[in-house]
PDB file of all heavy atoms in Angstrom:
ATOM      1  N   THR A   1     177.028 186.563  32.625  1.00 96.00           N
ATOM      2  CA  THR A   1     177.486 186.135  31.301  1.00 96.00           C
ATOM      3  C   THR A   1     178.586 187.071  30.853  1.00 96.00           C
ATOM      4  O   THR A   1     178.415 188.301  30.907  1.00 96.00           O
ATOM      5  CB  THR A   1     176.319 186.169  30.294  1.00 96.00           C
ATOM      6  OG1 THR A   1     175.228 185.404  30.826  1.00 96.00           O
ATOM      7  CG2 THR A   1     176.750 185.612  28.946  1.00 96.00           C
ATOM      8  N   PHE A   2     179.705 186.509  30.415  1.00 93.00           N
ATOM      9  CA  PHE A   2     180.803 187.360  29.968  1.00 93.00           C
ATOM     10  C   PHE A   2     180.490 187.961  28.607  1.00 93.00           C
ATOM     11  O   PHE A   2     180.098 187.258  27.684  1.00 93.00           O
ATOM     12  CB  PHE A   2     182.126 186.565  29.901  1.00 93.00           C
ATOM     13  CG  PHE A   2     183.314 187.459  29.785  1.00 93.00           C
ATOM     14  CD1 PHE A   2     183.762 188.180  30.880  1.00 93.00           C
ATOM     15  CD2 PHE A   2     184.001 187.601  28.593  1.00 93.00           C
ATOM     16  CE1 PHE A   2     184.870 189.033  30.792  1.00 93.00           C
ATOM     17  CE2 PHE A   2     185.096 188.438  28.476  1.00 93.00           C
ATOM     18  CZ  PHE A   2     185.519 189.157  29.577  1.00 93.00           C
ATOM     19  N   ASN A   3     180.621 189.286  28.485  1.00 93.00           N
ATOM     20  CA  ASN A   3     180.333 190.012  27.275  1.00 93.00           C
ATOM     21  C   ASN A   3     181.652 190.302  26.555  1.00 93.00           C
ATOM     22  O   ASN A   3     182.452 191.108  27.028  1.00 93.00           O
ATOM     23  CB  ASN A   3     179.614 191.323  27.632  1.00 93.00           C
ATOM     24  CG  ASN A   3     179.201 192.119  26.420  1.00 93.00           C
ATOM     25  OD1 ASN A   3     179.871 192.121  25.389  1.00 93.00           O
ATOM     26  ND2 ASN A   3     178.068 192.811  26.539  1.00 93.00           N
ATOM     27  N   ASN A   4     181.878 189.630  25.434  1.00 88.00           N
ATOM     28  CA  ASN A   4     183.139 189.784  24.709  1.00 88.00           C
ATOM     29  C   ASN A   4     183.269 191.136  24.021  1.00 88.00           C
ATOM     30  O   ASN A   4     184.361 191.557  23.669  1.00 88.00           O
ATOM     31  CB  ASN A   4     183.317 188.668  23.669  1.00 88.00           C
ATOM     32  CG  ASN A   4     183.727 187.368  24.311  1.00 88.00           C
ATOM     33  OD1 ASN A   4     184.530 187.348  25.222  1.00 88.00           O
ATOM     34  ND2 ASN A   4     183.174 186.266  23.842  1.00 88.00           N
ATOM     35  N   THR A   5     182.154 191.848  23.846  1.00 89.00           N
ATOM     36  CA  THR A   5     182.220 193.169  23.216  1.00 89.00           C
ATOM     37  C   THR A   5     182.728 194.213  24.205  1.00 89.00           C
ATOM     38  O   THR A   5     183.608 195.004  23.897  1.00 89.00           O
ATOM     39  CB  THR A   5     180.818 193.575  22.683  1.00 89.00           C
ATOM     40  OG1 THR A   5     180.362 192.556  21.790  1.00 89.00           O
ATOM     41  CG2 THR A   5     180.874 194.907  21.988  1.00 89.00           C
ATOM     42  N   THR A   6     182.161 194.198  25.417  1.00 91.00           N
ATOM     43  CA  THR A   6     182.565 195.183  26.427  1.00 91.00           C
ATOM     44  C   THR A   6     183.653 194.662  27.342  1.00 91.00           C
ATOM     45  O   THR A   6     184.194 195.403  28.151  1.00 91.00           O
ATOM     46  CB  THR A   6     181.355 195.579  27.301  1.00 91.00           C
ATOM     47  OG1 THR A   6     180.871 194.406  27.997  1.00 91.00           O
ATOM     48  CG2 THR A   6     180.238 196.172  26.460  1.00 91.00           C
ATOM     49  N   CYS A   7     183.953 193.376  27.218  1.00 90.00           N
ATOM     50  CA  CYS A   7     184.995 192.741  28.037  1.00 90.00           C
ATOM     51  C   CYS A   7     184.670 192.866  29.529  1.00 90.00           C
ATOM     52  O   CYS A   7     185.527 193.164  30.360  1.00 90.00           O
ATOM     53  CB  CYS A   7     186.378 193.329  27.730  1.00 90.00           C
ATOM     54  SG  CYS A   7     187.720 192.192  28.105  1.00 90.00           S
ATOM     55  N   SER A   8     183.412 192.633  29.854  1.00 93.00           N
ATOM     56  CA  SER A   8     182.972 192.678  31.241  1.00 93.00           C
ATOM     57  C   SER A   8     181.831 191.690  31.444  1.00 93.00           C
ATOM     58  O   SER A   8     181.319 191.097  30.490  1.00 93.00           O
ATOM     59  CB  SER A   8     182.509 194.091  31.613  1.00 93.00           C
ATOM     60  OG  SER A   8     181.401 194.461  30.812  1.00 93.00           O
ATOM     61  N   TRP A   9     181.450 191.492  32.689  1.00 96.00           N
ATOM     62  CA  TRP A   9     180.366 190.568  33.024  1.00 96.00           C
ATOM     63  C   TRP A   9     179.026 191.295  33.002  1.00 96.00           C
ATOM     64  O   TRP A   9     178.885 192.370  33.582  1.00 96.00           O
ATOM     65  CB  TRP A   9     180.607 189.966  34.406  1.00 96.00           C
ATOM     66  CG  TRP A   9     181.738 188.993  34.419  1.00 96.00           C
ATOM     67  CD1 TRP A   9     183.024 189.239  34.731  1.00 96.00           C
ATOM     68  CD2 TRP A   9     181.688 187.584  34.094  1.00 96.00           C
ATOM     69  NE1 TRP A   9     183.782 188.098  34.616  1.00 96.00           N
ATOM     70  CE2 TRP A   9     182.973 187.059  34.246  1.00 96.00           C
ATOM     71  CE3 TRP A   9     180.651 186.739  33.699  1.00 96.00           C
ATOM     72  CZ2 TRP A   9     183.268 185.715  33.993  1.00 96.00           C
ATOM     73  CZ3 TRP A   9     180.943 185.402  33.470  1.00 96.00           C
ATOM     74  CH2 TRP A   9     182.237 184.918  33.605  1.00 96.00           C
ATOM     75  N   ASP A  10     178.050 190.702  32.338  1.00 97.00           N
ATOM     76  CA  ASP A  10     176.670 191.212  32.348  1.00 97.00           C
ATOM     77  C   ASP A  10     175.867 190.367  33.331  1.00 97.00           C
ATOM     78  O   ASP A  10     175.808 189.140  33.193  1.00 97.00           O
ATOM     79  CB  ASP A  10     176.029 191.099  30.949  1.00 97.00           C
ATOM     80  CG  ASP A  10     176.656 192.036  29.931  1.00 97.00           C
ATOM     81  OD1 ASP A  10     177.271 193.039  30.349  1.00 97.00           O
ATOM     82  OD2 ASP A  10     176.542 191.744  28.730  1.00 97.00           O
ATOM     83  N   VAL A  11     175.295 191.009  34.326  1.00 97.00           N
ATOM     84  CA  VAL A  11     174.485 190.311  35.323  1.00 97.00           C
ATOM     85  C   VAL A  11     173.023 190.562  35.020  1.00 97.00           C
ATOM     86  O   VAL A  11     172.576 191.689  34.925  1.00 97.00           O
ATOM     87  CB  VAL A  11     174.833 190.783  36.743  1.00 97.00           C
ATOM     88  CG1 VAL A  11     173.943 190.088  37.776  1.00 97.00           C
ATOM     89  CG2 VAL A  11     176.308 190.511  37.050  1.00 97.00           C
ATOM     90  N   THR A  12     172.277 189.475  34.797  1.00 97.00           N
ATOM     91  CA  THR A  12     170.857 189.564  34.488  1.00 97.00           C
ATOM     92  C   THR A  12     170.070 188.644  35.415  1.00 97.00           C
ATOM     93  O   THR A  12     170.634 187.729  36.034  1.00 97.00           O
ATOM     94  CB  THR A  12     170.573 189.169  33.028  1.00 97.00           C
ATOM     95  OG1 THR A  12     171.062 187.831  32.819  1.00 97.00           O
ATOM     96  CG2 THR A  12     171.232 190.126  32.052  1.00 97.00           C
ATOM     97  N   GLY A  13     168.784 188.869  35.461  1.00 95.00           N
ATOM     98  CA  GLY A  13     167.911 188.006  36.247  1.00 95.00           C
ATOM     99  C   GLY A  13     167.165 188.792  37.284  1.00 95.00           C
ATOM    100  O   GLY A  13     167.587 189.882  37.695  1.00 95.00           O
ATOM    101  N   SER A  14     166.024 188.265  37.692  1.00 92.00           N
ATOM    102  CA  SER A  14     165.253 188.910  38.718  1.00 92.00           C
ATOM    103  C   SER A  14     164.674 187.861  39.648  1.00 92.00           C
ATOM    104  O   SER A  14     164.399 186.735  39.229  1.00 92.00           O
ATOM    105  CB  SER A  14     164.161 189.772  38.096  1.00 92.00           C
ATOM    106  OG  SER A  14     163.277 188.972  37.337  1.00 92.00           O
ATOM    107  N   GLN A  15     164.476 188.254  40.877  1.00 91.00           N
ATOM    108  CA  GLN A  15     163.923 187.373  41.888  1.00 91.00           C
ATOM    109  C   GLN A  15     162.479 187.043  41.517  1.00 91.00           C
ATOM    110  O   GLN A  15     161.762 187.896  41.029  1.00 91.00           O
ATOM    111  CB  GLN A  15     163.974 188.085  43.239  1.00 91.00           C
ATOM    112  CG  GLN A  15     163.415 187.294  44.397  1.00 91.00           C
ATOM    113  CD  GLN A  15     163.680 188.022  45.696  1.00 91.00           C
ATOM    114  OE1 GLN A  15     164.812 188.384  45.988  1.00 91.00           O
ATOM    115  NE2 GLN A  15     162.662 188.242  46.473  1.00 91.00           N
ATOM    116  N   PRO A  16     162.038 185.782  41.726  1.00 93.00           N
ATOM    117  CA  PRO A  16     160.644 185.451  41.431  1.00 93.00           C
ATOM    118  C   PRO A  16     159.691 186.363  42.212  1.00 93.00           C
ATOM    119  O   PRO A  16     160.015 186.792  43.312  1.00 93.00           O
ATOM    120  CB  PRO A  16     160.521 183.995  41.914  1.00 93.00           C
ATOM    121  CG  PRO A  16     161.915 183.464  41.905  1.00 93.00           C
ATOM    122  CD  PRO A  16     162.791 184.615  42.236  1.00 93.00           C
ATOM    123  N   ALA A  17     158.558 186.656  41.611  1.00 94.00           N
ATOM    124  CA  ALA A  17     157.578 187.536  42.263  1.00 94.00           C
ATOM    125  C   ALA A  17     157.074 186.892  43.556  1.00 94.00           C
ATOM    126  O   ALA A  17     156.890 185.677  43.636  1.00 94.00           O
ATOM    127  CB  ALA A  17     156.407 187.791  41.320  1.00 94.00           C
ATOM    128  N   GLU A  18     156.843 187.742  44.555  1.00 95.00           N
ATOM    129  CA  GLU A  18     156.331 187.259  45.825  1.00 95.00           C
ATOM    130  C   GLU A  18     154.913 186.732  45.630  1.00 95.00           C
ATOM    131  O   GLU A  18     154.088 187.380  45.008  1.00 95.00           O
ATOM    132  CB  GLU A  18     156.335 188.367  46.873  1.00 95.00           C
ATOM    133  CG  GLU A  18     155.901 187.902  48.246  1.00 95.00           C
ATOM    134  CD  GLU A  18     156.094 188.960  49.328  1.00 95.00           C
ATOM    135  OE1 GLU A  18     156.662 190.012  49.011  1.00 95.00           O
ATOM    136  OE2 GLU A  18     155.690 188.715  50.459  1.00 95.00           O
ATOM    137  N   PRO A  19     154.615 185.533  46.151  1.00 96.00           N
ATOM    138  CA  PRO A  19     153.272 184.985  45.952  1.00 96.00           C
ATOM    139  C   PRO A  19     152.228 185.735  46.753  1.00 96.00           C
ATOM    140  O   PRO A  19     152.522 186.364  47.761  1.00 96.00           O
ATOM    141  CB  PRO A  19     153.411 183.544  46.435  1.00 96.00           C
ATOM    142  CG  PRO A  19     154.537 183.582  47.429  1.00 96.00           C
ATOM    143  CD  PRO A  19     155.469 184.653  46.944  1.00 96.00           C
ATOM    144  N   THR A  20     150.985 185.683  46.280  1.00 95.00           N
ATOM    145  CA  THR A  20     149.870 186.243  47.020  1.00 95.00           C
ATOM    146  C   THR A  20     149.570 185.279  48.169  1.00 95.00           C
ATOM    147  O   THR A  20     149.435 184.082  47.965  1.00 95.00           O
ATOM    148  CB  THR A  20     148.638 186.378  46.121  1.00 95.00           C
ATOM    149  OG1 THR A  20     148.985 187.220  45.013  1.00 95.00           O
ATOM    150  CG2 THR A  20     147.470 186.976  46.858  1.00 95.00           C
ATOM    151  N   THR A  21     149.491 185.807  49.365  1.00 94.00           N
ATOM    152  CA  THR A  21     149.247 184.977  50.544  1.00 94.00           C
ATOM    153  C   THR A  21     148.029 185.443  51.281  1.00 94.00           C
ATOM    154  O   THR A  21     147.573 186.578  51.134  1.00 94.00           O
ATOM    155  CB  THR A  21     150.467 184.995  51.495  1.00 94.00           C
ATOM    156  OG1 THR A  21     150.724 186.340  51.871  1.00 94.00           O
ATOM    157  CG2 THR A  21     151.709 184.408  50.848  1.00 94.00           C
ATOM    158  N   GLU A  22     147.474 184.563  52.109  1.00 91.00           N
ATOM    159  CA  GLU A  22     146.368 184.937  52.982  1.00 91.00           C
ATOM    160  C   GLU A  22     146.938 185.781  54.101  1.00 91.00           C
ATOM    161  O   GLU A  22     148.147 185.803  54.343  1.00 91.00           O
ATOM    162  CB  GLU A  22     145.693 183.678  53.536  1.00 91.00           C
ATOM    163  CG  GLU A  22     145.071 182.793  52.472  1.00 91.00           C
ATOM    164  CD  GLU A  22     143.930 183.456  51.743  1.00 91.00           C
ATOM    165  OE1 GLU A  22     143.249 184.329  52.325  1.00 91.00           O
ATOM    166  OE2 GLU A  22     143.708 183.114  50.569  1.00 91.00           O
ATOM    167  N   CYS A  23     146.073 186.460  54.852  1.00 91.00           N
ATOM    168  CA  CYS A  23     146.525 187.390  55.906  1.00 91.00           C
ATOM    169  C   CYS A  23     147.319 186.682  57.014  1.00 91.00           C
ATOM    170  O   CYS A  23     148.132 187.296  57.686  1.00 91.00           O
ATOM    171  CB  CYS A  23     145.342 188.151  56.508  1.00 91.00           C
ATOM    172  SG  CYS A  23     144.154 187.128  57.347  1.00 91.00           S
ATOM    173  N   TYR A  24     147.109 185.384  57.186  1.00 92.00           N
ATOM    174  CA  TYR A  24     147.770 184.648  58.261  1.00 92.00           C
ATOM    175  C   TYR A  24     149.046 183.952  57.785  1.00 92.00           C
ATOM    176  O   TYR A  24     149.706 183.247  58.541  1.00 92.00           O
ATOM    177  CB  TYR A  24     146.822 183.617  58.870  1.00 92.00           C
ATOM    178  CG  TYR A  24     146.150 182.728  57.832  1.00 92.00           C
ATOM    179  CD1 TYR A  24     146.786 181.578  57.383  1.00 92.00           C
ATOM    180  CD2 TYR A  24     144.924 183.048  57.309  1.00 92.00           C
ATOM    181  CE1 TYR A  24     146.200 180.782  56.430  1.00 92.00           C
ATOM    182  CE2 TYR A  24     144.330 182.256  56.364  1.00 92.00           C
ATOM    183  CZ  TYR A  24     144.958 181.133  55.914  1.00 92.00           C
ATOM    184  OH  TYR A  24     144.362 180.349  54.965  1.00 92.00           O
ATOM    185  N   GLU A  25     149.401 184.136  56.521  1.00 95.00           N
ATOM    186  CA  GLU A  25     150.596 183.494  55.965  1.00 95.00           C
ATOM    187  C   GLU A  25     151.725 184.505  55.810  1.00 95.00           C
ATOM    188  O   GLU A  25     151.475 185.696  55.670  1.00 95.00           O
ATOM    189  CB  GLU A  25     150.278 182.871  54.608  1.00 95.00           C
ATOM    190  CG  GLU A  25     149.297 181.724  54.672  1.00 95.00           C
ATOM    191  CD  GLU A  25     148.927 181.208  53.291  1.00 95.00           C
ATOM    192  OE1 GLU A  25     148.821 182.012  52.362  1.00 95.00           O
ATOM    193  OE2 GLU A  25     148.743 179.991  53.166  1.00 95.00           O
ATOM    194  N   THR A  26     152.971 184.001  55.784  1.00 96.00           N
ATOM    195  CA  THR A  26     154.145 184.842  55.581  1.00 96.00           C
ATOM    196  C   THR A  26     154.976 184.222  54.455  1.00 96.00           C
ATOM    197  O   THR A  26     155.197 183.005  54.445  1.00 96.00           O
ATOM    198  CB  THR A  26     154.987 184.906  56.850  1.00 96.00           C
ATOM    199  OG1 THR A  26     154.186 185.422  57.908  1.00 96.00           O
ATOM    200  CG2 THR A  26     156.209 185.799  56.665  1.00 96.00           C
ATOM    201  N   ALA A  27     155.407 185.050  53.502  1.00 97.00           N
ATOM    202  CA  ALA A  27     156.266 184.604  52.413  1.00 97.00           C
ATOM    203  C   ALA A  27     157.681 185.094  52.679  1.00 97.00           C
ATOM    204  O   ALA A  27     157.898 186.288  52.854  1.00 97.00           O
ATOM    205  CB  ALA A  27     155.759 185.106  51.071  1.00 97.00           C
ATOM    206  N   THR A  28     158.645 184.171  52.718  1.00 96.00           N
ATOM    207  CA  THR A  28     160.039 184.504  52.954  1.00 96.00           C
ATOM    208  C   THR A  28     160.874 183.930  51.795  1.00 96.00           C
ATOM    209  O   THR A  28     160.718 182.757  51.467  1.00 96.00           O
ATOM    210  CB  THR A  28     160.532 183.904  54.289  1.00 96.00           C
ATOM    211  OG1 THR A  28     159.650 184.312  55.325  1.00 96.00           O
ATOM    212  CG2 THR A  28     161.951 184.343  54.610  1.00 96.00           C
ATOM    213  N   PHE A  29     161.748 184.764  51.192  1.00 94.00           N
ATOM    214  CA  PHE A  29     162.550 184.274  50.075  1.00 94.00           C
ATOM    215  C   PHE A  29     163.670 183.393  50.610  1.00 94.00           C
ATOM    216  O   PHE A  29     164.399 183.773  51.512  1.00 94.00           O
ATOM    217  CB  PHE A  29     163.131 185.447  49.267  1.00 94.00           C
ATOM    218  CG  PHE A  29     163.686 185.002  47.951  1.00 94.00           C
ATOM    219  CD1 PHE A  29     162.830 184.644  46.924  1.00 94.00           C
ATOM    220  CD2 PHE A  29     165.025 184.907  47.738  1.00 94.00           C
ATOM    221  CE1 PHE A  29     163.311 184.216  45.693  1.00 94.00           C
ATOM    222  CE2 PHE A  29     165.534 184.498  46.523  1.00 94.00           C
ATOM    223  CZ  PHE A  29     164.668 184.146  45.493  1.00 94.00           C
ATOM    224  N   ASN A  30     163.806 182.206  50.049  1.00 94.00           N
ATOM    225  CA  ASN A  30     164.801 181.215  50.446  1.00 94.00           C
ATOM    226  C   ASN A  30     165.949 181.261  49.434  1.00 94.00           C
ATOM    227  O   ASN A  30     165.788 180.844  48.298  1.00 94.00           O
ATOM    228  CB  ASN A  30     164.149 179.834  50.499  1.00 94.00           C
ATOM    229  CG  ASN A  30     165.078 178.775  51.009  1.00 94.00           C
ATOM    230  OD1 ASN A  30     166.275 178.806  50.751  1.00 94.00           O
ATOM    231  ND2 ASN A  30     164.527 177.793  51.694  1.00 94.00           N
ATOM    232  N   ASN A  31     167.110 181.782  49.852  1.00 90.00           N
ATOM    233  CA  ASN A  31     168.237 181.904  48.943  1.00 90.00           C
ATOM    234  C   ASN A  31     168.862 180.553  48.583  1.00 90.00           C
ATOM    235  O   ASN A  31     169.541 180.429  47.580  1.00 90.00           O
ATOM    236  CB  ASN A  31     169.312 182.832  49.516  1.00 90.00           C
ATOM    237  CG  ASN A  31     168.956 184.278  49.352  1.00 90.00           C
ATOM    238  OD1 ASN A  31     168.413 184.695  48.334  1.00 90.00           O
ATOM    239  ND2 ASN A  31     169.236 185.076  50.371  1.00 90.00           N
ATOM    240  N   ALA A  32     168.631 179.515  49.400  1.00 91.00           N
ATOM    241  CA  ALA A  32     169.180 178.184  49.105  1.00 91.00           C
ATOM    242  C   ALA A  32     168.411 177.547  47.956  1.00 91.00           C
ATOM    243  O   ALA A  32     169.011 176.964  47.036  1.00 91.00           O
ATOM    244  CB  ALA A  32     169.134 177.306  50.343  1.00 91.00           C
ATOM    245  N   THR A  33     167.078 177.638  47.961  1.00 92.00           N
ATOM    246  CA  THR A  33     166.256 177.020  46.909  1.00 92.00           C
ATOM    247  C   THR A  33     165.860 178.017  45.835  1.00 92.00           C
ATOM    248  O   THR A  33     165.259 177.635  44.826  1.00 92.00           O
ATOM    249  CB  THR A  33     164.985 176.411  47.507  1.00 92.00           C
ATOM    250  OG1 THR A  33     164.209 177.446  48.116  1.00 92.00           O
ATOM    251  CG2 THR A  33     165.330 175.356  48.568  1.00 92.00           C
ATOM    252  N   CYS A  34     166.131 179.291  46.055  1.00 92.00           N
ATOM    253  CA  CYS A  34     165.795 180.355  45.115  1.00 92.00           C
ATOM    254  C   CYS A  34     164.286 180.398  44.842  1.00 92.00           C
ATOM    255  O   CYS A  34     163.845 180.503  43.704  1.00 92.00           O
ATOM    256  CB  CYS A  34     166.580 180.192  43.819  1.00 92.00           C
ATOM    257  SG  CYS A  34     166.774 181.755  42.941  1.00 92.00           S
ATOM    258  N   SER A  35     163.516 180.256  45.919  1.00 94.00           N
ATOM    259  CA  SER A  35     162.060 180.290  45.804  1.00 94.00           C
ATOM    260  C   SER A  35     161.465 180.853  47.095  1.00 94.00           C
ATOM    261  O   SER A  35     162.165 181.047  48.066  1.00 94.00           O
ATOM    262  CB  SER A  35     161.506 178.879  45.533  1.00 94.00           C
ATOM    263  OG  SER A  35     161.808 178.039  46.620  1.00 94.00           O
ATOM    264  N   TRP A  36     160.170 181.114  47.046  1.00 96.00           N
ATOM    265  CA  TRP A  36     159.481 181.642  48.227  1.00 96.00           C
ATOM    266  C   TRP A  36     158.963 180.515  49.097  1.00 96.00           C
ATOM    267  O   TRP A  36     158.369 179.573  48.609  1.00 96.00           O
ATOM    268  CB  TRP A  36     158.298 182.529  47.769  1.00 96.00           C
ATOM    269  CG  TRP A  36     158.755 183.812  47.160  1.00 96.00           C
ATOM    270  CD1 TRP A  36     158.945 184.070  45.841  1.00 96.00           C
ATOM    271  CD2 TRP A  36     159.071 185.018  47.857  1.00 96.00           C
ATOM    272  NE1 TRP A  36     159.370 185.378  45.680  1.00 96.00           N
ATOM    273  CE2 TRP A  36     159.453 185.990  46.889  1.00 96.00           C
ATOM    274  CE3 TRP A  36     159.071 185.404  49.191  1.00 96.00           C
ATOM    275  CZ2 TRP A  36     159.829 187.274  47.224  1.00 96.00           C
ATOM    276  CZ3 TRP A  36     159.447 186.698  49.519  1.00 96.00           C
ATOM    277  CH2 TRP A  36     159.821 187.612  48.548  1.00 96.00           C
ATOM    278  N   ASP A  37     159.217 180.618  50.420  1.00 97.00           N
ATOM    279  CA  ASP A  37     158.654 179.694  51.392  1.00 97.00           C
ATOM    280  C   ASP A  37     157.457 180.373  52.024  1.00 97.00           C
ATOM    281  O   ASP A  37     157.571 181.464  52.584  1.00 97.00           O
ATOM    282  CB  ASP A  37     159.671 179.342  52.498  1.00 97.00           C
ATOM    283  CG  ASP A  37     160.851 178.533  51.947  1.00 97.00           C
ATOM    284  OD1 ASP A  37     160.707 177.902  50.899  1.00 97.00           O
ATOM    285  OD2 ASP A  37     161.921 178.562  52.587  1.00 97.00           O
ATOM    286  N   VAL A  38     156.290 179.748  51.929  1.00 97.00           N
ATOM    287  CA  VAL A  38     155.075 180.290  52.526  1.00 97.00           C
ATOM    288  C   VAL A  38     154.761 179.502  53.793  1.00 97.00           C
ATOM    289  O   VAL A  38     154.629 178.283  53.751  1.00 97.00           O
ATOM    290  CB  VAL A  38     153.887 180.217  51.533  1.00 97.00           C
ATOM    291  CG1 VAL A  38     152.616 180.732  52.182  1.00 97.00           C
ATOM    292  CG2 VAL A  38     154.209 181.022  50.283  1.00 97.00           C
ATOM    293  N   THR A  39     154.676 180.221  54.893  1.00 97.00           N
ATOM    294  CA  THR A  39     154.393 179.572  56.191  1.00 97.00           C
ATOM    295  C   THR A  39     153.241 180.283  56.875  1.00 97.00           C
ATOM    296  O   THR A  39     152.909 181.420  56.526  1.00 97.00           O
ATOM    297  CB  THR A  39     155.632 179.624  57.121  1.00 97.00           C
ATOM    298  OG1 THR A  39     156.021 180.992  57.286  1.00 97.00           O
ATOM    299  CG2 THR A  39     156.793 178.823  56.546  1.00 97.00           C
ATOM    300  N   GLY A  40     152.656 179.630  57.835  1.00 95.00           N
ATOM    301  CA  GLY A  40     151.577 180.221  58.602  1.00 95.00           C
ATOM    302  C   GLY A  40     150.338 179.346  58.574  1.00 95.00           C
ATOM    303  O   GLY A  40     150.171 178.522  57.681  1.00 95.00           O
ATOM    304  N   SER A  41     149.508 179.511  59.563  1.00 91.00           N
ATOM    305  CA  SER A  41     148.254 178.751  59.587  1.00 91.00           C
ATOM    306  C   SER A  41     147.131 179.641  60.082  1.00 91.00           C
ATOM    307  O   SER A  41     147.328 180.544  60.901  1.00 91.00           O
ATOM    308  CB  SER A  41     148.406 177.518  60.485  1.00 91.00           C
ATOM    309  OG  SER A  41     148.732 177.930  61.792  1.00 91.00           O
ATOM    310  N   GLN A  42     145.962 179.398  59.560  1.00 88.00           N
ATOM    311  CA  GLN A  42     144.767 180.181  59.917  1.00 88.00           C
ATOM    312  C   GLN A  42     144.393 179.888  61.362  1.00 88.00           C
ATOM    313  O   GLN A  42     144.484 178.752  61.809  1.00 88.00           O
ATOM    314  CB  GLN A  42     143.629 179.802  58.974  1.00 88.00           C
ATOM    315  CG  GLN A  42     142.339 180.527  59.224  1.00 88.00           C
ATOM    316  CD  GLN A  42     141.300 180.195  58.167  1.00 88.00           C
ATOM    317  OE1 GLN A  42     141.607 180.241  56.976  1.00 88.00           O
ATOM    318  NE2 GLN A  42     140.128 179.874  58.574  1.00 88.00           N
TER     319      GLN A  42
END
């Protein structure tokens, strides 16, 4: 967001929290969908 007071760009936001997964699952952040992909099978 452009800040007219400082005349610069303010970058805000945080990556969604990693989900809790079972020991046989893997969570990988997907930059295309901006979400976590959970894969794996027991």
Side-chain angles (χ1 to χ4, degrees):
T1 306
F2 194 74
N3 183 326
N4 283 321
T5 304
T6 63
C7 205
S8 62
W9 288 94
D10 292 337
V11 177
T12 58
S14 61
Q15 179 173 308
E18 184 172 355
T20 302
T21 57
E22 298 295 332
C23 63
Y24 51 85
E25 295 175 323
T26 302
T28 306
F29 194 74
N30 184 326
N31 282 321
T33 62
C34 205
S35 63
W36 289 94
D37 293 338
V38 178
T39 57
S41 60
Q42 180 174 312

